[in-house]
Amino acid sequence: MNATYHKYILEFKRPSGTSRGVLKTKETWFIIISDGNKQGIGECGILRTLSIDDRPDYEEKLKWVCENINLGVDKLWSKLLEFPSIQFGVEMAFKSLKSDSPYILFPSEFDKNRANIPINGLIWMGDKEFMYRQILDKLESGFDCIKMKIGAIDFETELELLSYIRSKFSPDEIELRVDANGAFTPKEALDKLKRLAVFNLHSIEQPIKQRQYKAMSKLCKETPLSIALDEELIGVFEVDEKKKLLEEIQPQYIILKPSLIGGFKGTQEWIDLAESMNIGWWITSALESNIGLNAIAQYTYTLKSKMPQGLGTGALYTNNIASPLYVDKGTLGYDPKQEWIFNF
């Protein structure tokens, strides 16, 4: 068995804003495994400035993985704790290699186009008019769950946008989620959550920056609005550490990004702990190409969650990998009649 790795730069159709800045490109890496007869494909979806494995030795570690691919998926995974995106790529590549098709990792009704996954429509940060146009587009496209990134423009303007949605659609018609990406200070957070709560929001992701455990725990106890931990989970490797974090903060939800928390195995560890503590969860992609998104979507479907998931649509990039994934009326589907176009 041999393996190679390849860098790929995804180009955004339009610069996309978060509270951490504007994204114009997205770097990703593919691992290709071959046993002489078949190939397996995995994506290491690193997010610079956010991934815990955003390190100078990242490519060196990819090279090491390829040189030691015969260790197998379990041994490699355990040796890659500090490189969760590579853990994910390795898991994906081995599943791809063993599958009858390199793109069907978790066979189900989803990849047969018999069932779709409900997803939220994502509203990127920008000026008021840009965000307003996105909101109209998502509503007209049939989404009944919208997630709006907040924290980069004026808070009053963000409240106006939420007020507009609520003036048109009740909570029964449209579920609203917001993602602050840690934009609030602990001192101001509770007051802002109270102002947000009047719009009957489903939840807010990561209102304050991660690693402020006492402040986040207090906020989760006092909040009028469900809080979902996101960045807080990044860099927490051991199961005992994960359990301690959830016990201390006691959030209402956690958000799971396989590329950032150790792939399928790392995600499952968080799910098992959360369910044992009656903490809700959902899966979110992290700007992967369609290769990674496909793997996450297929895995997500097997979990049978009825909540809208935070799965990207693959439409952000000008040079994404052509795939059978499609979006229809607020759901993600897979049309096996459409071909993958992926060459390395």
Side-chain angles (χ1 to χ4, degrees):
M1 187 159 53
N2 60 71
T4 57
Y5 68 89
H6 309 267
K7 185 177 184 178
Y8 192 76
I9 302 297
L10 292 155
E11 305 278 349
F12 280 86
K13 292 178 180 176
R14 175 189 170 112
S16 298
T18 75
S19 60
R20 287 184 296 273
V22 176
L23 303 173
K24 296 180 180 179
T25 61
K26 162 66 170 64
E27 170 190 342
T28 200
W29 300 77
F30 295 109
I31 291 180
I32 312 294
I33 300 178
S34 174
D35 64 2
N37 298 310
K38 294 166 52 183
Q39 281 192 340
I41 305 160
E43 179 173 356
C44 304
I46 189 170
L47 272 176
R48 296 295 182 184
T49 75
L50 179 59
S51 297
I52 196 70
D53 46 8
D54 178 9
R55 297 166 36 162
D57 59 342
Y58 189 84
E59 186 173 356
E60 183 181 329
K61 184 58 69 170
L62 280 171
K63 182 180 179 182
W64 178 87
V65 166
C66 291
E67 291 171 347
N68 292 275
I69 200 68
N70 286 301
L71 287 174
V73 64
D74 293 331
K75 286 185 179 179
L76 285 171
W77 194 95
S78 65
K79 291 179 179 292
L80 291 166
L81 278 185
E82 295 182 3
F83 293 86
S85 66
I86 303 180
Q87 285 179 315
F88 182 45
V90 167
E91 283 182 318
M92 200 188 312
F94 273 93
K95 280 191 169 293
S96 173
L97 181 66
K98 292 179 181 178
S99 174
D100 291 337
S101 162
Y103 304 107
I104 306 300
L105 280 63
F106 297 88
S108 70
E109 297 297 283
F110 174 74
D111 65 82
K112 299 176 181 63
N113 207 22
R114 296 174 185 163
N116 287 14
I117 302 169
I119 59 174
N120 59 233
L122 180 59
I123 308 300
W124 287 90
M125 289 177 177
D127 59 41
K128 182 178 179 180
E129 288 305 312
F130 173 59
M131 296 181 75
Y132 177 75
R133 289 197 304 272
Q134 289 182 85
I135 290 167
L136 289 180
D137 178 63
K138 297 301 180 188
L139 297 177
E140 290 171 1
S141 297
F143 283 88
D144 56 16
C145 178
I146 289 177
K147 170 182 161 181
M148 193 171 97
K149 287 185 174 289
I150 62 174
I153 64 174
D154 178 67
F155 186 60
E156 300 301 324
T157 301
E158 292 169 341
L159 294 178
E160 286 178 22
L161 290 167
L162 292 167
S163 178
Y164 165 77
I165 301 174
R166 273 292 168 255
S167 72
K168 301 293 183 182
F169 298 93
S170 71
D172 290 335
E173 294 172 303
I174 296 290
E175 179 178 291
L176 283 177
R177 301 171 177 175
V178 294
D179 181 2
N181 287 128
F184 304 157
T185 66
K187 186 176 180 179
E188 70 184 359
L190 184 59
D191 178 62
K192 287 193 170 182
L193 295 189
K194 288 177 179 177
R195 297 189 68 190
L196 288 165
V198 303
F199 300 112
N200 294 293
L201 306 184
H202 173 270
S203 56
I204 181 169
E205 297 180 29
Q206 202 70 43
I208 64 174
K209 290 188 185 302
Q210 63 267 39
R211 305 298 181 263
Q212 301 180 85
Y213 296 142
K214 288 184 179 179
M216 185 68 89
S217 176
K218 186 172 186 291
L219 201 56
C220 286
K221 287 183 175 67
E222 299 176 351
T223 182
L225 171 62
S226 291
I227 290 174
L229 303 186
D230 181 359
E231 289 91 341
E232 202 76 66
L233 311 187
I234 298 171
V236 185
F237 303 125
E238 303 289 351
V239 175
D240 288 346
E241 293 175 339
K242 296 175 181 180
K243 182 179 180 183
K244 182 179 178 182
L245 182 148
L246 293 181
E247 287 177 339
E248 182 171 350
I249 297 179
Q250 296 183 34
Q252 285 75 37
Y253 294 99
I254 58 173
I255 296 171
L256 304 162
K257 295 176 176 172
S259 288
L260 303 183
I261 59 170
F264 306 124
K265 183 177 179 181
T267 299
Q268 196 62 52
E269 289 175 350
W270 281 111
I271 289 174
D272 293 343
L273 288 169
E275 291 186 341
S276 73
M277 301 179 199
N278 294 312
I279 295 169
W281 57 268
W282 67 88
I283 306 287
T284 298
S285 53
L287 299 177
E288 297 85 0
S289 78
N290 279 332
I291 297 290
L293 173 60
N294 174 61
I296 294 170
Q298 290 183 21
Y299 168 68
T300 299
Y301 181 80
T302 68
L303 300 174
K304 301 300 182 185
S305 171
K306 297 189 185 308
M307 295 180 65
Q309 305 297 302
L311 302 179
T313 65
L316 288 172
Y317 305 119
T318 61
N319 61 338
N320 207 340
I321 311 301
S323 80
L325 296 169
Y326 68 92
V327 177
D328 180 48
K329 297 178 182 176
T331 67
L332 185 66
Y334 187 102
D335 182 359
K337 295 177 183 177
Q338 301 300 313
E339 293 186 359
W340 285 90
I341 303 176
F342 180 80
N343 296 302
F344 268 115

